[in-house]
């Protein structure tokens, strides 16, 4: 039926019809908040490029975790800033590693807060790359060993889920095998499947002190120009046993989220990354945008595109407004 019989504005006339018609509703259950843990006690290093976020020592991290949990955030993603780094990122696999300490403390004080650990080497290697360097590039198969070791170590401490963000080929299979061999067959893997070599990670590298000391990440992270390849990455991860597939960043890649959604029957996560967050914060500070409305619109668009859950630094501000 065409106009004037059909008038699409009819259902927009009142808040009630608009509520009835709403197709996508963001809830607090959709949100995962990233947190950064560093050594020491009573340490809060504010991350200047990401207002509202800090590197926190374990004691303050627990305090923050409680605040978030009380606000209604049920899940956090943990990143570690270790005291020392080494060539292979093995400090990430130690019983007294920084994330291991954080997991023990958080699980003790807030047992119901769901803990996801980012699995990667870049925060732990002296050179800042996501794996072991051989002949000037990250060696894929050697890196799989440290990733599997890191995953098992964190699962042993009680982490609820692991999220490999390194983009090595075969990591999901290697991690699944190692977890299972150590009895952690119930620990899910959320794979950063379509992770792009993106300029949107700029502020994160200050947050996690993980900038590569030479070169870039283009030999392992994906070219932003590619979409078909993202589907191949997703398929490979599913075949290796991924429980959730992730797209990262989110906003410039909504088409990728949608393509994955229509192609595979898998839970999808999107990472609304540091640069996406910082741009909103900077514009809001200048008074150029309405932060709350913008964030709501952004997160709703990510969900509308097909994401079941969203990792976002906005979680702590938006959760009470949902
Ligand atoms: C580690 C990792 C990065 C991010 C998440 N895990 C950085 C990178 O790959 O360079 C980026 C997160 C963000 O920008 O918010 N590999």
């Amino acid at each position: 039926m065409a106009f004037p019989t059909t008038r699409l504005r009819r259902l927009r006339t009142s808040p009630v019809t608009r509520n009835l018609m709403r197709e996508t509703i963001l809830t607090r259950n959709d949100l995962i908040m990233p947190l950064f843990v560093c050594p020491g006690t009573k340490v809060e290093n504010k991350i200047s490029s990401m207002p509202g976020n800090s590197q926190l020592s374990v004691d303050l991290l627990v305090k923050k975790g409680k605040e978030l949990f009380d606000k209604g955030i049920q899940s956090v993603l943990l990143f570690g800033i270790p005291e020392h780094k080494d060539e292979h990122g093995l400090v990430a696999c130690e019983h007294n590693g920084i994330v291991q300490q954080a997991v023990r403390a958080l699980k003790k004080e807030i047992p119901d807060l769901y803990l996801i650990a980012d699995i990667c080497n870049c925060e732990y290697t002296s050179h800042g790359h996501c794996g072991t360097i051989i002949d000037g590039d990250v060696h894929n198969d050697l890196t799989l060993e440290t990733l599997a070791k890191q995953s098992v170590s964190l699962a042993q401490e009680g982490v609820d889920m692991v999220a490999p963000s390194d983009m090595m080929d075969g990591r999901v299979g290697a991690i699944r095998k190692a977890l299972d061999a150590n009895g952690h067959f119930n620990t899910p893997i959320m794979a950063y499947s379509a992770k792009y070599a993106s300029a949107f990670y700029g502020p994160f590298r200050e947050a996690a002190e993980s900038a590569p000391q030479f070169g870039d990440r283009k030999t392992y992270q994906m070219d932003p120009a590619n979409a078909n390849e993202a589907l191949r990455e997703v398929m490979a991860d599913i075949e290796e046993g991924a429980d959730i597939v992730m797209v990262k960043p989110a906003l410039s890649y909504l088409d990728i989220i949608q393509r994955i959604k229509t192609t595979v029957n898998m839970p999808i996560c999107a990472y609304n990354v540091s640069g996406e967050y910082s741009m909103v914060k900077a514009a809001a500070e200048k008074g150029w945008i309405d932060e709350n409305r913008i964030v709501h619109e952004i997160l709703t668009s990510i969900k509308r595109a097909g994401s079941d859950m969203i990792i976002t630094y906005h979680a702590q501000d938006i959760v009470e407004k949902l």
Side-chain angles (χ1 to χ4, degrees):
M1 246 3 122
F3 174 83
T5 313
T6 298
R7 289 177 184 270
L8 288 167
R9 287 185 59 194
R10 239 178 241 140
L11 288 172
R12 293 180 202 137
T13 46
S14 83
V16 176
T17 53
R18 291 198 295 272
N19 285 342
L20 288 169
M21 290 287 293
R22 191 158 302 119
E23 298 172 34
T24 308
I25 295 166
L26 191 70
T27 78
R28 55 183 57 177
N29 293 344
D30 302 325
L31 305 174
I32 300 166
M33 175 74 197
L35 294 174
F36 301 93
V37 58
C38 66
T41 40
K42 303 240 173 308
V43 180
E44 175 178 9
N45 296 324
K46 290 197 159 70
I47 302 160
S48 62
S49 56
M50 297 170 66
N53 292 270
S54 304
Q55 299 174 346
L56 300 170
S57 52
V58 173
D59 52 329
L60 297 187
L61 182 82
V62 169
K63 195 164 155 250
K64 176 92 178 184
K66 279 187 186 148
E67 277 167 32
L68 294 173
F69 190 70
D70 290 343
K71 281 189 190 183
I73 289 180
Q74 55 178 3
S75 176
V76 298
L77 173 65
L78 297 172
F79 293 96
I81 297 100
E83 197 138 13
H84 308 289
K85 304 191 183 216
D86 62 61
E87 234 182 283
H88 307 288
L90 284 166
V91 287
C93 313
E94 291 169 358
H95 175 66
N96 256 340
I98 187 68
V99 180
Q100 283 83 349
Q101 291 179 41
V103 170
R104 285 196 292 272
L106 287 167
K107 275 292 162 202
K108 184 160 170 261
E109 301 295 330
I110 327 160
D112 292 332
L113 183 65
Y114 193 87
L115 305 181
I116 308 173
D118 184 86
I119 301 295
C120 195
N121 285 329
C122 63
E123 297 125 64
Y124 308 99
T125 49
S126 39
H127 44 72
H129 276 286
C130 300
T132 293
I133 300 289
I134 303 281
D135 296 335
D137 193 12
V138 175
H139 190 284
N140 193 86
D141 300 13
L142 288 177
T143 302
L144 297 183
E145 291 171 26
T146 47
L147 295 170
K149 216 171 157 185
Q150 187 183 356
S151 303
V152 170
S153 166
L154 288 162
Q156 245 139 26
E157 300 303 340
V159 92
D160 295 293
M161 184 187 282
V162 293
S165 68
D166 52 281
M167 286 301 278
M168 297 303 117
D169 288 318
R171 79 269 166 77
V172 173
I175 292 171
R176 183 74 273 155
K177 200 168 147 214
L179 286 173
D180 288 356
N182 287 278
H184 303 294
F185 44 81
N186 260 336
T187 306
I189 300 175
M190 176 157 73
Y192 287 69
S193 300
K195 176 170 177 179
Y196 288 88
S198 171
F200 285 101
Y201 309 149
F204 177 90
R205 295 188 181 162
E206 181 203 332
E209 300 177 13
S210 62
Q213 302 300 304
F214 65 90
D216 52 41
R217 302 207 202 286
K218 289 181 185 160
T219 71
Y220 40 105
Q221 298 180 348
M222 281 185 54
D223 182 339
N226 296 354
N228 293 330
E229 191 188 347
L231 285 176
R232 293 186 69 195
E233 286 283 2
V234 165
M235 294 304 184
D237 286 353
I238 294 171
E239 223 152 88
E240 289 173 34
D243 298 281
I244 299 167
V245 293
M246 196 201 294
V247 176
K248 179 184 173 188
L251 287 184
S252 294
Y253 301 87
L254 294 179
D255 58 321
I256 308 297
I257 298 173
Q258 168 110 84
R259 274 185 69 170
I260 295 171
K261 186 72 180 176
T262 52
T263 311
V264 299
N265 181 18
M266 285 288 287
I268 300 175
C269 179
Y271 199 142
N272 176 220
V273 300
S274 57
E276 299 175 298
Y277 173 83
S278 301
M279 291 194 304
V280 170
K281 283 288 179 185
E285 258 172 36
K286 284 191 176 284
W288 290 344
I289 56 168
D290 177 336
E291 180 177 341
N292 185 34
R293 286 191 56 205
I294 288 266
V295 170
H296 208 277
E297 190 170 329
I298 284 174
L299 299 180
T300 300
S301 76
I302 296 170
K303 192 168 176 190
R304 192 192 62 231
S307 194
D308 298 286
M309 62 203 97
I310 306 167
I311 301 167
T312 178
Y313 305 94
H314 294 297
Q316 57 183 353
D317 298 326
I318 196 86
V319 68
E320 285 169 308
K321 298 179 179 107
L322 295 176

